[in-house]
Amino acid sequence: MIFKFPPIVTALVVQALVFVVLYSLKEHASMFANLSLFELSLLQGALAAVSTKRTSLSYWWVGIQFAAPPLLLLGLAFSIPLWVFPVVLILLLLVFWNVAINRVPLYLTNNSTTEKLLSLMPKEEGALFADLGSGLAGTLIRLAKARPDGQFHGYETAPVPFLMSYIRAKLSGARNVHLHFVSLWNADLSHFDVVYCFLSPVPMPDLYEKAKGEMKKGSRFISNSFVVPNKKPSRTVSVSDGRKTKLYIWDM
């Protein structure tokens, strides 16, 4: 797997480079002389957004890059203490860790899709199911209650969702739900009958190769909504829900 900087690092580097360029030009170009600080912050955001669009970052980072400089300036204008900004950033990172680090949003599987997943599990007792990026564990809990004979494992590294899912699983009383604060890249997939994910297009090629290399013969790899480029699924199952979900299934 080719190393890539985390998106938040790329975004910060872009902002820093644009700031350096603007500061250098401001010292030598008269065209910036009459611009207010707020106008300069808008220009900084616009240039950062354009630069970000030319990177591999997802489209929502373009909006974030544009809004960040003027919002920071407005916060300072209203005398918001400086410590507030890093605290807010840390809280956002704790919730959206996978967006900032792995470019994987927090998608939640709906009930209709969960019902379809239940029908795709092996009928034999003792089936092992893994959810890579298990979020708030709603899918695991519903499946575990419907199949008390199975074992359901979730892998999540976003701190706040993991904590919430852990508490939720304990309160549900489903003793066959097992949550792991482990990256999906470090999960051992060799013993699972079904491996499910609802991630983004970014990790799918590498994740498919990992599944193909680790999963046992006769097991099933299922991706919600996102295909693997140039890898035709064994079959595609449609879900009768509002977003017309498709499950792409590869039989190993």
Side-chain angles (χ1 to χ4, degrees):
M1 186 166 53
I2 299 174
F3 176 79
K4 296 178 181 178
F5 286 110
I8 192 169
V9 173
T10 303
L12 290 173
V13 169
V14 168
Q15 287 284 2
L17 291 175
V18 171
F19 177 81
V20 169
V21 170
L22 276 179
Y23 183 82
S24 301
L25 291 175
K26 186 176 184 296
E27 294 296 310
H28 300 94
S30 58
M31 61 180 291
F32 295 103
N34 296 322
L35 293 180
S36 66
L37 277 176
F38 185 70
E39 289 170 332
L40 282 171
S41 72
L42 288 175
L43 181 58
Q44 159 96 20
L47 292 175
V50 171
S51 301
T52 299
K53 194 173 182 180
R54 300 180 66 86
T55 70
S56 61
L57 296 187
S58 301
Y59 63 89
W60 57 78
W61 282 101
V62 175
I64 293 173
Q65 292 287 73
F66 176 74
L71 286 178
L72 178 61
L73 186 63
L74 285 173
L76 294 174
F78 284 100
S79 300
I80 296 176
L82 287 176
W83 62 263
V84 171
F85 298 103
V87 168
V88 170
L89 177 61
I90 290 170
L91 289 175
L92 289 173
L93 280 174
L94 290 175
V95 177
F96 301 106
W97 178 262
N98 290 322
V99 178
I101 303 301
N102 297 316
R103 293 183 286 181
V104 176
L106 179 60
Y107 291 127
L108 301 179
T109 301
N110 59 38
N111 291 339
S112 299
T113 304
T114 302
E115 289 298 318
K116 189 64 70 174
L117 287 173
L118 185 61
S119 71
L120 293 170
M121 287 190 60
K123 305 304 180 186
E124 297 80 13
E125 290 189 2
L128 294 176
F129 179 98
D131 186 351
L132 304 182
S134 50
L136 303 180
T139 301
L140 291 171
I141 293 170
R142 289 191 292 270
L143 289 174
K145 288 185 174 181
R147 287 287 302 270
D149 62 293
Q151 299 296 322
F152 298 85
H153 294 256
Y155 296 85
E156 179 60 60
T157 53
V160 170
F162 176 80
L163 179 60
M164 292 176 65
S165 64
Y166 184 84
I167 295 171
R168 187 179 182 187
K170 290 297 183 183
L171 293 176
S172 73
R175 296 186 177 181
N176 53 338
V177 172
H178 312 279
L179 298 172
H180 310 277
F181 191 63
V182 174
S183 167
L184 58 86
W185 302 112
N186 294 327
D188 180 4
L189 307 182
S190 61
H191 55 287
F192 291 109
D193 300 294
V194 178
V195 172
Y196 168 72
C197 62
F198 187 11
L199 301 172
S200 82
V202 176
M204 291 310 300
D206 289 331
L207 186 57
Y208 173 80
E209 292 302 322
K210 174 179 171 64
K212 185 179 178 182
E214 295 182 14
M215 293 180 69
K216 62 187 179 182
K217 184 178 180 180
S219 59
R220 186 169 287 167
F221 178 61
I222 303 175
S223 172
N224 185 329
S225 302
F226 302 110
V227 299
V228 178
N230 304 316
K231 300 294 182 182
K232 185 178 179 181
S234 305
R235 57 177 167 142
T236 301
V237 174
S238 298
V239 179
S240 300
D241 60 358
R243 58 186 301 275
K244 298 181 180 179
T245 297
K246 291 187 181 298
L247 298 175
Y248 300 98
I249 303 166
W250 288 267
D251 293 322
M252 295 298 165

